[in-house]
């Protein structure tokens, strides 16, 4: 999910604006007045379910790590001290529970923080490192990788 989401987003002008620090609301406001930019919204809307599933799934991993498995790792534990964990939980709830709005406000809180994508990427990499080491996988092994 992460790979598909990042690929779709990187091809979109909205994704490029987000990388430059523009909020989702600002990008969608521009889409209302710029017909060329508006077409790129379709790409983002197509990527949104991938992103939401990935983000929500990452919270499930966090929840298992901290509450069920009670694992510890200095790098991961430091990343999990972030206030982004609480807003990611709200994002997960908005992703997996009904809301009459396509862009639930609980999602927007997480999305509008400029550093959430970088934080989530660092956390993803830290979890990948930990699981590869403890499952004794080589870097080229694991789900989604050729053997």
């Amino acid at each position: 999910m992460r790979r598909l989401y990042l690929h779709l987003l990187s091809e979109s002008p909205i994704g490029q604006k987000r990388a430059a620090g523009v909020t989702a609301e600002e990008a969608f406001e521009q889409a209302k007045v710029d017909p060329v930019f508006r077409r790129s919204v379709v790409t983002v809307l197509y990527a949104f379910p991938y992103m939401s599933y990935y983000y929500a799934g990452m919270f499930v991993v966090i929840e298992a790590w901290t509450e069920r498995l009670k694992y510890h790792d200095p790098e991961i534990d430091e990343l999990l001290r972030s206030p982004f964990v609480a807003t990611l939980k709200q994002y997960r709830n908005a992703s997996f529970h009904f809301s009459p709005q396509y862009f639930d406000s609980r999602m927007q809180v997480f999305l509008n923080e400029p550093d959430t994508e970088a934080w989530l990427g660092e956390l993803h990499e830290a979890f990948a490192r930990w699981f590869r080491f403890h499952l004794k996988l080589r870097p080229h092994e694991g789900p989604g990788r050729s053997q």
Side-chain angles (χ1 to χ4, degrees):
M1 290 296 171
R2 179 177 190 251
R3 206 175 350 211
L4 288 169
Y5 149 63
L6 291 174
H7 173 73
L8 289 169
L9 195 62
S10 70
E11 293 181 346
S12 163
I14 289 180
Q16 294 160 7
K17 284 195 173 290
R18 288 287 291 140
V22 175
T23 68
E25 284 87 2
E26 291 168 339
F28 283 111
E29 286 302 315
Q30 181 180 349
K32 290 177 184 177
V33 296
D34 182 343
V36 174
F37 193 68
R38 186 177 311 128
R39 284 190 289 274
S40 72
V41 171
V42 173
T43 301
V44 171
L45 292 177
Y46 184 73
F48 189 71
Y50 292 105
M51 178 185 73
S52 293
Y53 197 88
Y54 164 61
Y55 283 9
M58 281 297 293
F59 184 78
V60 172
V61 173
I62 292 169
E63 195 171 44
W65 178 274
T66 59
E67 296 175 20
R68 301 291 299 272
L69 301 171
K70 300 189 186 310
Y71 286 162
H72 291 284
D73 173 85
E75 181 185 5
I76 294 171
D77 293 346
E78 181 62 31
L79 288 164
L80 294 179
R81 286 185 188 85
S82 169
F84 295 152
V85 172
T87 56
L88 184 61
K89 180 178 183 177
Q90 292 305 311
Y91 194 102
R92 187 273 319 260
N93 291 344
S95 296
F96 290 148
H97 298 102
F98 172 77
S99 173
Q101 295 131 355
Y102 189 68
F103 293 107
D104 187 292
S105 62
R106 294 171 293 178
M107 293 174 162
Q108 292 176 14
V109 170
F110 187 79
L111 294 175
N112 284 337
E113 286 289 334
D115 297 327
T116 55
E117 184 64 36
W119 170 80
L120 203 54
E122 289 175 32
L123 184 61
H124 180 102
E125 291 303 318
F127 277 133
R129 174 197 46 79
W130 193 91
F131 284 109
R132 282 193 204 304
F133 177 79
H134 289 281
L135 295 176
K136 300 185 183 347
L137 297 174
R138 287 186 223 102
H140 64 281
E141 292 180 328
R145 299 188 185 266
S146 60
Q147 299 278 350

